Amino acid sequence: MDVSFNFDWAAAIDSIPHLLPGIPWTLLISFGGLAIGFVIGIFFGLLRISPLRPLRWLAIAYIEIFRGTPILVQVLFIFYGLPQLLGGPINALTAGIAAIAVNSGAYISEIVRGGVQSIERGQREAALSLGLSRSQAFRCVIWPQALRRMIPPLGNQAIISIKDTSLFSVIGVGELVRQGQIYIATTFTAMEVYFMVALLYLAITWTLSILLSVLERKGLAGE
Amino acid sequence: MNATTQPIVSMKKLNKHFGSLHVLKDIDLAITPGEVVVVIGASGSGKSTLIRCINGLEEFQQGILGVDGKTLQPYGRSGRALQQIRTEVGMVFQQFNLFPHLSVRDNVTLAPIKVRGANRQQARQTADRLLERVGIEDQADKYPAQLSGGQQQRVALARALAMEPRLMLFDEPTSALDPEMIGEVLDAMRELAKEGMTMVIVTHEMHFAREVADRVIYIHQGEITEQGPPEQLFDAPQHERTQAFLSRVLKH
C-alpha cells in the first residue's frame, strides 16, 4: 500500500461539492436550536432571578442538568431514549435541534441572568420613581440595556453551538461532518476532507464573528 | 405657611432597620405643599434613606407614612398606592440615572407616554419645552453619555418634571458633579423653588440650603436632632451636635 503524507489539494477541492449540502443542515440545526434556546434562556434566566424561591430552584435545576451533562449524551438520549417513552421515533433533525435548544438554553439562562443583573440598580429605581410599573421598568429600561450587554456572550454561545452540531453525525443527520464521513467512505481521503470540513466550519463561525462585532458596535452606539 | 393646609408628606413615628442597624428612629415630619425642605447631616445619618422612604424606594418597618393623600404600608406592602404616589412624586438622583439607551428627548417622554398615556406628539412638545427651561434644548437628540454631568442632571430634572409632580425629591443632586457644573444644576432647582414646587432636598451645599430652604432639618444617626428656618438653624443652632456638624461643614 502506498502511504503518502502529501496533502492532495485536488482531492480536497474535489470534496467541496460533496460537503456543501451539509451546510444548510448545520445552519438549520444550529440556528433553529439557538432560537428555541434563546426563548428557553430568557424563561429560565428570568426565573433564576425571580423573588420566589421555588422558581429559582426550578431554574437552577434546569441549568445544572443541561449544563452539567455532555451534549452528546443529551442528543443520544433524545434520539434513542425518548422514542421509548413517546412510543414513536424522533427524526434526527428534530433531535439535533432539540439538543442544541435545551443545551444552549441552559447557558443562555446564565447569560440572561448576568445581563439583567449587570444593569445598575439606579436604572430600575429611576424607572419606578417615574411611576412605571415593575414590568414596564423591566421592558422599557432594564431589558433593552441588558440585551445589548448580552450580545458578546450570546455570540460566543452561538459559535459553540454551531461546533456542537458536528457531534450529531452520530445520529445520522446530514450535517457537515456526516457529509464528510460519507464522502471519505468512497475516497479514503480523510486528511483532505476533514481539513475542508474544518475550513467550512471556520467560514461559518468567522462570518458570524464579523456580523456580531458589527452588531455590537451598532448596539453600543447609544451608550 | 397656612396651618390648615393638608400636609403633602406626613410621617409619624417612622422606623426603619437595615438588619440590626436602626437607620431611622421615630421620625415625625410633616411637609406642607409649596414648602422647600432641606435635609442635612453627616453621611450615613439616614438622610437619603429618609427621602427614599417617601417614594417607596426604601421600605420602613413601623410608623405611618402618608404621601399626597395616600398611605404607604410598612414592609413595602403598598401595592397600587405606591405606584400612584410615584406618578405624583418626582426624584432626582445623585448619579442622574438617565436611561443610556434612549435619547435625551425619549428619556423625558418615556414616563408621560407609558404611565400617563400621553400621545407621542404632545409628550415631545412638553419634553422640548422642559429641556428648553433647563437650558439643554439643543441636546434633545443626543444620548446621555454625550452630555456633561451637569447637563445630564438637568435632563434628569426635566424627566421628573415631565410627569408634572406635586412633590420633588432630590437625593444629593450635585454630589457627583464637577465643581464647575454644580451651579447650573442649583440654578435650575432655584428656579423650580421660586415657581412654588414642593421640594425635599438632601444636599451638602449649605449656601444653597440657606438661600432656598423654608426649613432645614438636621439628622444625626437616624433622628431629627433639630429643625427650623435656615437663619435659625445655621446662625443659632440650639443642639450641640448641630453646632459641631455645622462647624465642620462650614469651615471650608
Side-chain angles (χ1 to χ4, degrees):
Chain A
M1 196 161 106
D2 173 37
V3 179
S4 164
F5 289 98
N6 289 331
F7 189 90
D8 184 350
W9 281 103
I13 288 160
D14 285 346
S15 72
I16 294 174
H18 300 271
L19 299 178
L20 288 180
I23 289 182
W25 291 96
T26 294
L27 293 179
L28 180 61
I29 299 168
S30 308
F31 289 103
L34 281 164
I36 301 168
F38 188 52
V39 175
I40 294 174
I42 292 173
F43 181 74
F44 284 108
L46 297 183
L47 285 197
R48 179 74 182 73
I49 45 181
S50 156
L52 301 174
R53 196 172 292 173
L55 296 182
R56 286 205 302 273
W57 284 342
L58 185 70
I60 291 169
Y62 178 86
I63 292 164
E64 290 302 328
I65 289 169
F66 289 99
R67 207 177 50 172
T69 54
I71 191 167
L72 183 58
V73 175
Q74 290 165 10
V75 77
L76 290 173
F77 183 86
I78 293 169
F79 187 65
Y80 294 110
L82 273 192
Q84 288 183 15
L85 203 73
L86 300 174
I90 292 175
N91 79 47
L93 176 65
T94 309
I97 290 176
I100 292 293
V102 295
N103 185 271
S104 71
Y107 287 94
I108 294 172
S109 298
E110 288 291 86
I111 293 171
V112 167
R113 172 173 81 103
V116 170
Q117 286 183 333
S118 77
I119 305 303
E120 299 70 26
R121 199 181 56 166
Q123 290 291 309
R124 184 168 184 272
E125 290 185 349
L128 294 179
S129 79
L130 287 164
L132 270 69
S133 68
R134 275 189 263 182
S135 84
Q136 284 174 326
F138 183 78
R139 279 182 288 118
C140 305
V141 175
I142 312 291
W143 182 249
Q145 296 184 60
L147 200 55
R148 274 164 215 221
R149 294 195 189 171
M150 282 157 49
I151 292 172
L154 282 175
N156 215 7
Q157 182 56 44
I159 287 170
I160 291 170
S161 290
I162 288 167
K163 294 185 296 176
D164 281 347
T165 62
S166 64
L167 295 165
F168 301 167
S169 55
V170 298
I171 57 168
V173 64
E175 48 66 62
L176 258 175
V177 170
R178 179 75 182 150
Q179 300 295 344
Q181 290 171 336
I182 294 167
Y183 185 65
I184 291 166
T186 59
T187 63
F188 305 103
T189 50
M191 180 165 69
E192 288 79 5
V193 174
Y194 283 130
F195 179 77
M196 291 315 293
V197 167
L199 271 189
L200 289 171
Y201 275 109
L202 195 60
I204 296 171
T205 54
W206 201 20
T207 308
L208 184 64
S209 288
I210 292 167
L211 287 177
L212 281 163
S213 67
V214 171
L215 190 65
E216 207 178 317
R217 242 174 295 142
K218 270 192 173 166
L220 294 175
E223 296 200 16
Chain B
M1 226 144 294
N2 187 347
T4 59
T5 317
Q6 274 287 82
I8 188 164
V9 176
S10 129
M11 295 183 175
K12 292 196 183 90
K13 295 249 176 274
L14 197 79
N15 279 277
K16 172 169 180 68
H17 305 260
F18 274 128
S20 62
L21 198 66
H22 198 170
V23 202
L24 295 177
K25 298 170 190 161
D26 287 337
I27 300 282
D28 286 311
L29 178 66
I31 296 168
T32 319
E35 200 179 5
V36 176
V37 175
V38 171
V39 184
I40 61 171
S43 64
S45 60
K47 56 193 192 304
S48 284
T49 309
L50 176 72
I51 71 164
R52 286 164 58 87
C53 281
I54 296 174
N55 67 348
L57 290 182
E58 299 285 352
E59 307 178 348
F60 57 96
Q61 281 82 35
Q62 293 119 35
I64 296 171
L65 174 52
V67 181
D68 194 31
K70 294 169 191 78
T71 307
L72 276 169
Q73 304 297 328
Y75 296 99
R77 291 185 189 131
S78 308
R80 185 82 193 130
L82 178 56
Q83 203 190 336
Q84 286 169 351
I85 286 170
R86 284 170 173 164
T87 62
E88 307 300 332
V89 177
M91 188 167 207
V92 171
F93 299 86
Q94 183 177 351
Q95 301 295 339
F96 330 136
N97 297 349
L98 291 180
F99 307 134
H101 61 299
L102 299 178
S103 71
V104 163
R105 185 183 284 112
D106 291 344
N107 263 274
V108 181
T109 60
L110 179 71
I113 291 171
K114 296 287 173 189
V115 181
R116 294 249 191 257
N119 79 47
R120 203 162 283 276
Q121 185 65 27
Q122 275 175 347
R124 271 180 77 102
Q125 281 170 2
T126 310
D128 288 350
R129 185 170 49 75
L130 286 167
L131 289 172
E132 195 181 336
R133 181 165 146 191
V134 295
I136 29 183
E137 63 276 17
D138 46 345
Q139 318 281 345
D141 295 312
K142 290 193 180 168
Y143 285 89
Q146 297 169 283
L147 270 53
S148 74
Q151 290 173 325
Q152 290 192 47
Q153 194 60 303
R154 285 182 284 151
V155 173
L157 179 58
R159 177 177 70 176
L161 293 178
M163 287 297 284
E164 299 177 345
R166 291 167 39 76
L167 166 67
M168 279 293 300
L169 308 174
F170 294 85
D171 188 4
E172 302 200 26
T174 59
S175 297
L177 293 175
D178 291 335
E180 75 268 23
M181 291 169 184
I182 291 175
E184 61 196 55
V185 171
L186 294 183
D187 283 344
M189 291 169 63
R190 205 173 272 130
E191 240 0 83
L192 195 60
K194 248 183 248 164
E195 288 164 22
M197 175 65 77
T198 313
M199 297 161 77
V200 185
I201 306 165
V202 171
T203 186
H204 295 289
E205 298 292 330
M206 296 301 158
H207 295 287
F208 175 75
R210 180 190 283 265
E211 183 194 331
V212 302
D214 295 311
R215 177 163 41 140
V216 180
I217 293 176
Y218 172 64
I219 292 201
H220 178 78
Q221 292 181 356
E223 281 176 291
I224 296 181
T225 303
E226 188 168 351
Q227 55 179 312
E231 311 77 50
Q232 181 196 315
L233 197 114
F234 286 121
D235 299 334
Q238 302 298 305
H239 203 288
E240 64 184 64
R241 282 213 191 90
T242 320
Q243 292 162 4
F245 173 75
L246 288 173
S247 74
R248 258 180 291 137
V249 296
L250 293 176
K251 225 182 314 186
H252 43 85

